Amino acid sequence: LGSIVVTDRFWPLVVCAFMKPQTDAELDAYFDDMERLYRAGRPFVTLTLLAGFRASRRAIVGAAKWLHRVKEPMHDTCAGVAIVSSSMKFRFAFRQTLMLVSMPTPFDVFGTVAEGLAFARRHGVERGLEVPRTVPEVDDLARSLGIKSAA
């Protein structure tokens, strides 16, 4: 496995896991994978587990450019983005960064999978999506990354 995993196995819940700091090529591949999902036109929500993220200048600038490029399809297809990290410091910094780039869809940053999944479910239901209340495989992955599944 690489440092980033994206799976639509739990559709309409797309799960992304940043397992360790990624290379530029891995981050570019993530942007491409997500862009394909946005442009496919099928509504979904995203639960992103962040155990490792390389916040280099290139990564931040690349993310801002990518968000600008996918703004319209992301708005049209992604009902919400729940980001989960065990680091309070990281959650604060990431939330501030996302506010600066103006996300085209509802988002928030959480400390547990349960909180993130509740957010994703709430926004998914607003778009008519049936998002699962729990996903044991995601809880297991989160625990393996040092992220709490529940409070």
Side-chain angles (χ1 to χ4, degrees), residues 60 79 86 147:
I60 293 167
S86 60
I147 298 171

Side-chain angles (χ1 to χ4, degrees), residues 41-58:
R42 294 173 45 206
F44 64 95
V45 293
T46 303
L47 179 71
T48 300
L49 307 176
L50 283 173
F53 184 77
R54 188 178 56 107
S56 68
R57 178 166 168 62
R58 185 195 181 285

Side-chain angles (χ1 to χ4, degrees), residues 8-15 44-47 113-122 124-125 129-139:
D8 62 0
R9 249 182 57 209
F10 312 105
W11 194 269
L13 175 69
V14 172
V15 177
F44 64 95
V45 293
T46 303
L47 179 71
V113 171
E115 293 166 326
L117 199 50
F119 174 89
R121 185 171 165 68
R122 183 171 61 253
V125 166
L129 303 176
E130 291 187 35
V131 179
R133 290 183 189 279
T134 61
V135 183
E137 295 96 323
V138 173
D139 289 336

Side-chain angles (χ1 to χ4, degrees), residues 4-32:
I4 305 171
V5 173
V6 176
T7 182
D8 62 0
R9 249 182 57 209
F10 312 105
W11 194 269
L13 175 69
V14 172
V15 177
C16 307
F18 286 70
M19 298 183 289
K20 60 186 176 186
Q22 60 290 144
T23 65
D24 292 340
E26 288 170 324
L27 191 58
D28 289 342
Y30 165 77
F31 291 151
D32 292 344

